[in-house]
Amino acid sequence: MIPKTVKISVIVTTRDRAASLKRLLASFDALEQSDHVSLELLIVDNGSSDSSKDVVLAQQVKSLKYDLKFYVEPMRGQSSAINCGLRHCRGEIICLVDDDVVMDPRWITGILASYELNQFDALQGRILPGVDPQGYPADLNRLYYYNIPIVDHGDEMKAIRGLTGAHMTFRRAVYERVGFFNVKLGPGASGFSGDTEFSRRISAAGFRLGYTPHAIVYHELSPLRYGRKYNRAVQYRKGLSRSVYRRDSIAFSVLPKLVLNCLRFSFYLSLGSDARIYRTEGRIWRFVGYLVGQLRRGIGKAPMSE
């Protein structure tokens, strides 16, 4: 019996990353296709001032194995751009990937197998470190230094609590029940946590979240993201974003954890433990960001936008 054709929609939001977008599109050209898959790729530009549009237009004139669509979302914010893609996509399986990743050639096969093998409604794909602009791979002993999302829970599928937006997928029924992304969250708004809040709503609606090692993307390494300064800024923004949708107890949760991590930071600093210093410093700034966000809410202001 010949299986029915499965339609997969991949939504990529982009802003001023023409070179990264070009690499991503090249990886789509290299995907191993299946006769029983109809693939559409939706690129949603969110206010680029570089040559991103030209990159997509040049791709559209090629003979492609997939349907490439291009949209412009005028409302600033990645969540708004994702929502634009959700309104226009037609797939039974919907996938969100960032514009600074490249796809493993066997990605389509991995997605199909993952949904066929298990009863998960939403899946977190594997995210592995890619290469830098010169083509050099990451130092595996210092992965934290690159400040990229890495998701690798091993070689078996398993249930998880949340999804990372750089490479997440879900059945259309999930989106139809849960709805759009929160436009107050994510890059261009509070900075982060659009994927986290969306995951919480998926779970609250009774859907099952899982991890799959079979669908892989590789995240590019950008020198602009390296080091502690960038990590501090990122974690602070994550704290601001968390203050939008969470109400953690300041007295019994946030402040005690902040003090504890300050003590840990001092201890790790005395030991010269670089990785622990790095991660603990990040936690400190995340708690500080949360406190600042709650303070701004208390005086009638929203968390800072980017």
Side-chain angles (χ1 to χ4, degrees):
M1 178 178 178
I2 299 176
K4 71 182 183 68
T5 299
V6 177
K7 186 150 193 175
I8 299 177
S9 296
V10 181
I11 299 172
V12 176
T13 62
T14 190
R15 186 171 187 265
D16 290 333
R17 281 182 177 164
S20 299
L21 187 59
K22 190 172 183 178
R23 288 190 288 270
L24 173 61
L25 289 172
S27 73
F28 265 86
D29 291 343
L31 287 174
E32 297 176 1
Q33 280 281 12
S34 166
D35 293 336
H36 307 300
V37 170
S38 173
L39 179 67
E40 68 170 359
L41 172 58
L42 299 89
I43 307 291
V44 184
D45 187 277
N46 196 217
S48 293
S49 57
D50 64 1
S51 60
S52 294
K53 181 178 179 179
D54 294 333
V55 168
V56 179
L57 293 179
Q59 186 77 0
Q60 284 182 317
V61 300
K62 298 179 181 179
S63 178
L64 302 174
K65 297 178 290 185
Y66 54 91
D67 187 13
L68 176 59
K69 302 174 181 177
F70 180 71
Y71 300 95
V72 175
E73 173 50 56
M75 181 177 292
R76 189 175 179 214
Q78 186 183 52
S79 292
S80 296
I82 291 173
N83 291 343
C84 173
L86 289 173
R87 284 192 293 269
H88 289 93
C89 72
R90 297 292 180 265
E92 302 161 60
I93 297 174
I94 300 172
C95 310
L96 309 181
V97 297
D98 280 355
D99 58 358
D100 51 0
V101 305
V102 296
M103 319 297 286
D104 183 90
R106 296 169 296 280
W107 183 83
I108 293 176
T109 302
I111 286 291
L112 289 179
S114 299
Y115 278 105
E116 289 173 357
L117 290 171
N118 288 272
Q119 297 301 311
F120 291 116
D121 304 293
L123 286 169
Q124 171 66 61
R126 210 172 200 169
I127 307 175
L128 301 178
V131 298
D132 68 13
Q134 285 72 47
Y136 293 108
D139 178 352
L140 298 182
N141 294 316
R142 301 183 69 218
L143 289 179
Y144 60 87
Y145 175 77
Y146 301 100
N147 293 309
I148 61 172
I150 298 174
V151 180
D152 188 1
H153 300 313
D155 296 329
E156 302 293 332
M157 296 188 67
K158 62 185 67 176
I160 57 173
R161 296 177 59 184
L163 305 171
T164 299
H167 184 204
M168 60 188 283
T169 81
F170 42 89
R171 300 180 190 274
R172 186 168 196 88
V174 171
Y175 155 58
E176 291 175 346
R177 174 89 62 85
V178 173
F180 294 107
F181 273 60
N182 186 337
V183 296
K184 296 180 181 179
L185 298 172
S190 66
F192 290 90
S193 299
D195 48 6
T196 302
E197 191 271 344
F198 190 72
S199 298
R200 287 162 68 96
R201 283 190 279 136
I202 293 175
S203 295
F207 293 111
R208 297 185 65 217
L209 280 66
Y211 157 79
T212 175
H214 308 304
I216 305 171
V217 301
Y218 300 92
H219 200 292
E220 71 177 28
L221 309 178
S222 169
L224 296 176
R225 302 173 69 135
Y226 297 171
R228 287 173 58 182
K229 181 178 179 181
Y230 184 89
N231 182 52
R232 289 194 295 267
V234 164
Q235 297 301 328
Y236 177 76
R237 302 292 305 204
K238 286 183 177 179
L240 286 177
S241 297
R242 184 173 291 190
S243 73
V244 173
Y245 68 94
R246 288 180 58 154
R247 295 296 175 268
D248 297 335
S249 170
I250 302 296
F252 297 105
S253 179
V254 179
L255 287 177
K257 290 178 181 177
L258 175 59
V259 171
L260 177 61
N261 277 281
C262 286
L263 294 174
R264 285 175 174 166
F265 179 77
S266 299
F267 177 66
Y268 295 145
L269 201 62
S270 67
L271 295 178
S273 180
D274 289 345
R276 289 179 175 177
I277 289 171
Y278 201 95
R279 296 188 180 99
T280 306
E281 184 178 44
R283 294 188 192 103
I284 290 170
W285 281 94
R286 188 163 66 245
F287 289 125
V288 170
Y290 183 84
L291 290 172
V292 171
Q294 291 289 40
L295 177 62
R296 290 177 63 84
R297 290 179 62 88
I299 60 177
K301 293 184 178 180
M304 295 165 56
S305 63
E306 290 188 326

